[in-house]
Amino acid sequence: MAYRLWFPVAVVLLHLFASLVIATPQGDALIQVAKDWQTSFSSWLPGTDPCKNSWVGVGCDADHINVISLNLTNSNLRGPVPMVIGNLTSLEALDISNVKYTDMNLNAVTGNVSALAPLRNLQLLNISRNVLGVTKFPEVVQTLLNIRSLRFEHDLIPGPFPVGLTNLKKIEYLYLGNNSFSGPIPKELGLMTSLKELTIWGSNYNSKLPPEIGNLVNLTYLNCNRCFLWGGLPPEYGKLKNLEKLHFYKNTLTGPIPDEYRNLTNLIELRIESNQLFGSFEPWIIGLPNIQLVNVNFNQLYKSLPPVIDRTTTNLTQMYVKCNYFTGKYPLIDPSFTTEFDANCYDNPGVNGTFDVMCSRELSCIPFQSFLTSNGGCPPCPNGQYLANKTLCICYGDKIATSNKEYPISAIVGGAVGGAVVAAVALLLICLCMRRRRKFDPDRDFFNTEVRDGGKVEPWDAPKGVQRYTLDDLVRATNNFSKEHEIGSGGFGKVFYGNFPGNKKLAIKRASTSTSANGQTQFRNEVLLLSRLHHKNLVRLEGFCDENNLQILVYEYMRNGNLHSHLFRKSAGKYLDWYKRLEIAVHIAQGLEYIHSFADPPVIHRDVKPTNILLDGNLVAKVADFGISKESLELHTHVSTNPAGTVGYFDPEYFTTQKLTTASDVYSFGVVLLELLTGQKVIDHVSRGEEYNLIKWVERRVEEGGVDLIVDTKLEGNYPRQIFLKMATLALHCSASEKKERPTMKAVVTALEPLLREVGRPKAETEAVWTELPAEAADNESTFTGSSSQSFSHHGALKQSKAVIDPR
Ligand SMILES: Nc1ncnc2c1ncn2[C@@H]1O[C@H](COP(=O)(O)OP(=O)(O)OP(=O)(O)O)[C@@H](O)[C@H]1O
Ligand SMILES: *[C@@H]1O[C@H](CO)[C@@H](O)[C@H](O)[C@H]1NC(C)=O
Ligand SMILES: *[C@@H]1O[C@H](CO)[C@@H](O)[C@H](O)[C@H]1NC(C)=O
Ligand SMILES: *[C@@H]1O[C@H](CO)[C@@H](O)[C@H](O)[C@H]1NC(C)=O
Ligand SMILES: *[C@@H]1O[C@H](CO)[C@@H](O)[C@H](O)[C@H]1NC(C)=O
Ligand SMILES: *[C@@H]1O[C@H](CO)[C@@H](O)[C@H](O)[C@H]1NC(C)=O
Ligand SMILES: *[C@@H]1O[C@H](CO)[C@@H](O)[C@H](O)[C@H]1NC(C)=O
Ligand SMILES: *[C@@H]1O[C@H](CO)[C@@H](O)[C@H](O)[C@H]1NC(C)=O
Ligand SMILES: *[C@@H]1O[C@H](CO)[C@@H](O)[C@H](O)[C@H]1NC(C)=O
Ligand SMILES: *[C@@H]1O[C@H](CO)[C@@H](O)[C@H](O)[C@H]1NC(C)=O
Ligand SMILES: *[C@@H]1O[C@H](CO)[C@@H](O)[C@H](O)[C@H]1NC(C)=O
Ligand SMILES: [Mg+2]
């Protein structure tokens, strides 16, 4: 009883007494600490006890005896950690960080922190946002064996990652973000099994992720964004079954999202945006039971997304997938989700034209600035694409021509990076040339258009059957490349016709093979290959010019120009009647069948489309631009992964297989055949809207209403329905999205040829063979995008014959 009564009184008295006591060793030490750090606190009164009077920032144990915590955030600390701090041996927590960046002028703790060595009881240490100015991570920290929580963030500490921290067997929270560590992330981190949170973001590790981190089974948070990581996501991390947040954004990680991550059933946030991840996006990712946020923006993921994304399929609330290469349907998304889905390669582009349909990266896709050192600040392009515009970081994978402002930019399938440089130089040149028209000067316009390797020409015997021309020959034949000799323009520049001795008219264009060391060899191999390809439906190579390292090809002149310009004009019904169209289809098929069967491995055209079908004086169709740089024998493996082609005509299987095959030509042929039947362009957002792709448009209409609904109205009903139905069916068959459903060119020829015989040439028009179709100008019209060859531009090096003969 007496004890109960007297106890509180005693405590009060003790307190009174204590506050009168002259000094405590801890108080003295703290006062000295403040002094050494060039600061002071009004509540820290000399002669009082820090545990019995409320010293700001000081925390004591329950008995008010020992100082166990010191929180001096934003306290105007200056200079090194005072040695006397070591007198506070009971200290368990020390926070001398700044709270925000803007406070960094407040605490400015500098120098080494070896004064902490005596603090054997320290469990929490936070020295973030200071300016330590050390040359490596302080070793003393690695001796504080009771540490549970350690923060050295934003301290710009250089040197290797502090492997010695693995000594800290009790550590649960390790925050080392935003330093300047270099060298690999050590695999020893995998020994720190007590870790719950590990964030080591923002250093230049330049390494792979160590699989050993997968052993940290208690980990809930793993953050290594901006770590200069490369290599793949380790499948071993699928073992982190407690993981809630995984942040690996802004690195250069490659490869797929491992299937093992299905086991991350506690994952809430997956942030792997701005990498180079490649592969599919499997539905299980959004099906993880706890997932709320997925961000895979700015990667190279392809294949399709789950078709439906709503509350029945996922617990997600935020999903970001923009700037990838997703194909297939644009998913149906619950509108209450926060999403970013644009800039992909969907079949059905956004209803408002906001989504990219071209598989090209747009301005908003320029990601991470640390790529600034290479590629002019752009991330690497995906396989088979090249950087076509370094200002906008646009990778071109396809090309598309359109006059509609809403769907801008022509995008191209191109070749290697080397090609990008050539293309960029050439583009720039064309831009300049367009602005300032000037007279042709071979020195300037030929020799300065690109870098050449010193003009050393190894002796070479031209293959039989082709003529070797000098530049002089060509200048003479074209009257110094005068405007009157221009017959067209494609890729980078113009195509000319020339009058050669013997009253021969020939077409001159430049091959845009690489100008690198082996460019010359490549060019010669191609000339060799072309010189052997002879067929009535192939535009024949007559000669070449390799003087001064130029790579110019000289072809037979095709008097009636290209199929595109005839098919898409008002008079197309008259000059290209139904029979002519069937004939042209047979011609193209025969030409392609020939190149496919000519050699093993086969020659693949890669860019079958109406501007590459040329018509001679008798309206015989011949395939142009085959062979070169596409399937030269020597470069087989190289080129097979580098496509060239045009959107709409381009084999969609490429996006899954990364390979172009003869079946890719069959696909393009199918599209050209559809254009022949319908007189419509493969891509037309303006007149067909949602069904902008001709294949889909034809498919649906033929199915629902028969062939009459699709045939070119310019034919005014003059066509044999049965035959056109057969052709349409064949065309759809050829342009099946799956390669295995397409026939071979041989089968196509076998199917088409009998149709010609079946009907025979119609009487009325039979003899009306035009020797020359009327000039385009006669009925030039807006439906023919006269500038198409301009906007169909920018090829990579491996795209052939992008004539750069540009005299202006
Ligand atoms: N041998 C030729 N005879 C007559 N005209 C030709 C010949 N070669 C090319 N042309 C004309 O020059 C145009 C441009 O040809 P080029 O191959 O450079 O570009 P393109 O095929 O129109 O487009 P792309 O650059 O996308 O292939 C052709 O469309 C055609 O009208
Ligand atoms: C710190 O401790 C040392 C030795 O225990 C002692 O000599 C010194 O006076 C103390 N310093 C202060 C400021 O209390
Ligand atoms: C120290 O105080 C700041 C605010 O003054 C607070 O944000 C921080 O969490 C505290 N540190 C510790 C270790 O509690
Ligand atoms: C310093 O780190 C500790 C431990 O992680 C944390 O509790 C504290 O809030 C941090 N201080 C500040 C100012 O953020
Ligand atoms: C750290 O600083 C103290 C004095 O400030 C000095 O005695 C010690 O040698 C230094 N340690 C290192 C590793 O630089
Ligand atoms: C990293 O730290 C530095 C200085 O400590 C700071 O200026 C910078 O903003 C920080 N970076 C990030 C991304 O927080
Ligand atoms: C993981 O956490 C559990 C529960 O907190 C604990 O019992 C276990 O010891 C921890 N594992 C390791 C390796 O520290
Ligand atoms: C998930 O974990 C289980 C065991 O925990 C294992 O048997 C299975 O193979 C794992 N799944 C994957 C996809 O790794
Ligand atoms: C969403 O979360 C609930 C509760 O955690 C869970 O039962 C359900 O399976 C989750 N839904 C999906 C689609 O994973
Ligand atoms: C398209 O535009 C309409 C009207 O501006 C808007 O209500 C709708 O949400 C837009 N759709 C998309 C998918 O952006
Ligand atoms: C890249 O695109 C920008 C904006 O459209 C344009 O101004 C620039 O000329 C382009 N650069 C090249 C090399 O085409
Ligand atoms: Mg062409």
Side-chain angles (χ1 to χ4, degrees):
M1 266 300 174
Y3 171 78
R4 271 194 195 169
L5 188 69
W6 277 101
F7 181 69
V9 178
V11 169
V12 170
L13 283 177
L14 243 150
H15 267 241
L16 274 172
F17 180 73
S19 60
L20 296 174
V21 166
I22 308 118
T24 70
Q26 295 181 114
D28 290 350
L30 282 168
I31 300 275
Q32 188 62 42
V33 162
K35 212 166 159 188
D36 286 359
W37 258 329
Q38 302 171 43
T39 190
S40 63
F41 306 99
S42 53
S43 60
W44 292 21
L45 288 171
T48 62
D49 187 325
C51 286
K52 300 190 171 74
N53 301 271
S54 316
W55 286 28
V56 69
V58 179
C60 297
D61 57 9
D63 301 332
H64 302 275
I65 307 289
N66 295 310
V67 173
I68 58 165
S69 75
L70 194 52
N71 189 344
L72 301 180
T73 56
N74 293 14
S75 300
N76 282 306
L77 310 181
R78 289 279 174 284
V81 179
M83 292 309 289
V84 67
I85 206 165
N87 283 28
L88 301 166
T89 48
S90 305
L91 208 57
E92 292 173 9
L94 176 63
D95 189 345
I96 51 173
S97 63
N98 284 303
V99 176
K100 293 182 288 196
Y101 286 122
T102 44
D103 305 327
M104 282 189 68
N105 56 336
L106 294 174
N107 280 358
V109 174
T110 56
N112 79 47
V113 296
S114 54
L116 298 174
L119 303 180
R120 315 304 307 174
N121 292 310
L122 209 57
Q123 295 180 31
L124 182 155
L125 177 61
N126 189 341
I127 315 191
S128 294
R129 295 193 180 91
N130 276 284
V131 273
L132 296 172
V134 291
T135 54
K136 61 183 179 41
F137 191 82
E139 253 156 46
V140 61
V141 177
Q142 300 159 13
T143 66
L144 302 173
L145 297 178
N146 282 306
I147 289 280
R148 290 177 50 240
S149 180
L150 185 67
R151 271 191 202 232
F152 276 76
E153 291 204 294
H154 316 285
D155 289 337
L156 308 181
I157 301 172
F161 187 92
V163 185
L165 292 177
T166 50
N167 293 336
L168 308 182
K169 298 295 179 213
K170 297 182 180 167
I171 195 159
E172 294 175 4
Y173 307 93
L174 180 57
Y175 282 66
L176 298 175
N178 197 10
N179 281 294
S180 303
F181 299 133
S182 53
I185 298 174
K187 61 177 192 299
E188 287 81 358
L189 274 179
L191 299 171
M192 303 176 79
T193 48
S194 51
L195 278 179
K196 291 181 176 159
E197 297 183 6
L198 175 63
T199 93
I200 53 175
W201 60 278
S203 274
N204 186 354
Y205 299 113
N206 187 20
S207 76
K208 291 193 189 186
L209 282 163
E212 288 80 2
I213 288 181
N215 297 334
L216 308 181
V217 290
N218 277 355
L219 214 55
T220 60
Y221 182 27
L222 176 57
N223 182 348
C224 202
N225 78 72
R226 302 175 222 211
C227 284
F228 293 87
L229 299 171
W230 45 272
L233 289 166
E236 288 81 358
Y237 294 6
K239 294 184 289 183
L240 300 173
K241 57 181 194 303
N242 289 301
L243 199 64
E244 294 170 5
K245 291 194 282 180
L246 184 63
H247 292 185
F248 287 145
Y249 53 94
K250 299 189 178 180
N251 285 293
T252 52
L253 294 168
T254 52
I257 302 170
D259 209 44
E260 285 77 2
Y261 290 14
R262 286 170 187 272
N263 275 347
L264 300 179
T265 48
N266 283 301
L267 200 63
I268 297 170
E269 277 183 18
L270 178 63
R271 291 194 55 189
I272 45 178
E273 71 266 26
S274 299
N275 277 292
Q276 295 167 41
L277 298 171
F278 188 80
S280 54
F281 186 99
E282 299 295 335
W284 61 257
I285 298 172
I286 62 166
L288 291 170
N290 287 295
I291 199 79
Q292 287 173 20
L293 182 154
V294 168
N295 191 338
V296 297
N297 285 348
F298 308 114
N299 274 291
Q300 294 164 25
L301 300 170
Y302 62 103
K303 299 191 182 171
S304 30
L305 290 165
V308 179
I309 296 166
D310 65 12
R311 306 245 176 261
T312 65
T313 54
T314 180
N315 283 332
L316 270 184
T317 54
Q318 294 177 69
M319 180 164 173
Y320 307 101
V321 302
K322 77 173 176 191
C323 301
N324 278 280
Y325 297 89
F326 289 118
T327 52
K329 282 253 183 299
Y330 191 92
L332 294 169
I333 311 163
D334 186 323
S336 68
F337 290 174
T338 308
T339 57
E340 289 173 1
F341 270 70
D342 55 347
N344 277 296
C345 309
Y346 305 116
D347 297 344
N348 48 339
V351 281
N352 296 344
T354 50
F355 307 118
D356 177 29
V357 291
M358 294 165 293
C359 306
S360 70
R361 294 184 175 223
E362 45 181 50
L363 184 55
S364 59
C365 296
I366 298 174
F368 182 33
Q369 291 310 307
S370 79
F371 288 104
L372 277 172
T373 46
S374 63
N375 272 351
C378 300
C381 292
N383 242 353
Q385 301 199 9
Y386 68 93
L387 192 61
N389 187 320
K390 288 190 182 179
T391 321
L392 301 185
C393 288
I394 293 175
C395 293
Y396 279 142
D398 310 80
K399 62 180 187 171
I400 185 167
T402 167
S403 50
N404 183 350
K405 277 247 158 58
E406 280 180 351
Y407 303 93
I409 312 178
S410 50
I412 298 92
V413 171
V417 175
V421 177
V422 176
V425 169
L427 272 173
L428 206 74
L429 229 114
I430 287 168
C431 294
L432 288 175
C433 290
M434 283 174 160
R435 243 173 266 143
R436 269 181 273 146
R437 300 183 170 228
R438 2 164 252 192
K439 257 193 93 73
F440 173 71
D441 167 357
D443 268 0
R444 184 184 55 220
D445 291 318
F446 274 145
F447 305 136
N448 295 339
T449 46
E450 56 189 50
V451 187
R452 278 193 294 273
D453 32 273
K456 241 195 269 162
V457 180
E458 301 285 316
W460 184 53
D461 288 332
K464 280 205 193 80
V466 294
Q467 179 81 35
R468 185 179 203 158
Y469 294 102
T470 64
L471 183 59
D472 248 15
D473 294 338
L474 303 184
V475 166
R476 228 174 297 124
T478 58
N479 189 18
N480 212 10
F481 292 92
S482 68
K483 200 157 172 43
E484 296 74 55
H485 283 256
E486 287 177 27
I487 48 173
S489 81
F492 310 145
K494 301 184 180 311
V495 181
F496 293 86
Y497 78 83
N499 293 311
F500 288 83
N503 216 3
K504 262 208 271 189
K505 252 188 174 189
L506 300 175
I508 301 165
K509 57 196 294 187
R510 179 140 156 203
S512 64
T513 42
S514 154
T515 51
S516 65
N518 71 2
Q520 188 184 70
T521 319
Q522 199 186 331
F523 178 68
R524 288 174 175 183
N525 282 335
E526 287 158 358
V527 168
L528 194 64
L529 174 67
L530 287 183
S531 72
R532 292 176 184 160
L533 292 168
H534 297 293
H535 188 269
K536 68 179 176 62
N537 299 117
L538 295 183
V539 176
R540 184 185 152 83
L541 183 75
E542 296 277 347
F544 67 97
C545 169
D546 62 353
E547 193 179 328
N548 288 81
N549 250 346
L550 287 169
Q551 297 174 353
I552 292 174
L553 295 170
V554 180
Y555 287 100
E556 79 175 286
Y557 173 64
M558 299 290 287
R559 191 161 169 187
N560 279 312
N562 69 61
L563 175 63
H564 180 101
S565 58
H566 297 303
L567 192 54
F568 300 117
R569 52 196 260 175
K570 280 192 191 121
S571 57
K574 185 171 168 204
Y575 298 110
L576 292 183
D577 60 43
W578 71 265
Y579 187 80
K580 200 71 238 167
R581 296 184 192 208
L582 174 54
E583 240 179 22
I584 289 172
V586 172
H587 292 158
I588 304 169
Q590 286 170 334
L592 291 176
E593 202 246 324
Y594 173 80
I595 62 167
H596 286 180
S597 56
F598 174 79
D600 187 18
V603 178
I604 302 168
H605 188 295
R606 293 171 171 243
D607 201 9
V608 176
K609 60 176 176 179
T611 58
N612 282 338
I613 308 299
L614 304 181
L615 304 173
D616 73 5
N618 298 316
L619 293 193
V620 170
K622 303 192 182 194
V623 178
D625 293 355
F626 50 90
I628 283 269
S629 292
K630 292 166 183 170
E631 201 58 277
S632 68
L633 303 168
E634 189 183 86
L635 294 164
H636 177 229
T637 50
H638 178 53
V639 290
S640 63
T641 53
N642 287 292
T646 306
V647 157
Y649 306 94
F650 188 64
D651 181 0
E653 271 226 347
Y654 175 79
F655 292 108
T656 45
T657 62
Q658 307 291 304
K659 280 204 182 90
L660 285 180
T661 61
T662 50
S664 308
D665 286 349
V666 175
Y667 181 89
S668 316
F669 171 82
V671 175
V672 173
L673 186 48
L674 288 179
E675 292 185 313
L676 275 167
L677 295 173
T678 60
Q680 299 200 38
K681 292 181 192 156
V682 60
I683 304 284
D684 191 340
H685 294 275
V686 181
S687 60
R688 291 195 303 269
E690 292 235 315
E691 287 175 312
Y692 65 94
N693 189 312
L694 187 59
I695 301 171
K696 300 275 143 49
W697 185 84
V698 169
E699 227 163 38
R700 208 178 62 102
R701 293 180 156 234
V702 169
E703 203 169 282
E704 290 175 4
V707 75
D708 295 335
L709 292 184
I710 64 141
V711 175
D712 191 351
T713 51
K714 295 192 236 61
L715 291 176
E716 296 174 336
N718 295 322
Y719 61 92
R721 181 181 292 147
Q722 280 316 310
I723 288 181
F724 263 47
L725 179 58
K726 280 181 191 164
M727 286 165 75
T729 311
L730 179 67
L732 288 174
H733 197 184
C734 290
S735 53
S737 51
E738 289 199 31
K739 173 170 85 187
K740 61 175 192 287
E741 288 172 20
R742 300 173 205 154
T744 60
M745 267 341 284
K746 194 176 214 63
V748 170
V749 170
T750 311
L752 278 179
E753 260 182 341
L755 299 183
L756 263 184
R757 289 195 295 271
E758 201 173 301
V759 273
R761 191 184 285 269
K763 270 249 157 60
E765 284 102 315
T766 309
E767 308 317 325
V769 175
W770 289 277
T771 51
E772 187 147 18
L773 295 178
E776 186 63 34
D779 52 13
N780 210 351
E781 69 216 40
S782 58
T783 53
F784 169 54
T785 47
S787 62
S788 77
S789 20
Q790 295 277 6
S791 41
F792 272 62
S793 53
H794 342 299
H795 281 267
L798 294 170
K799 175 70 176 67
Q800 93 148 104
S801 306
K802 285 312 116 203
V804 192
I805 303 171
D806 189 343
R808 294 191 290 190

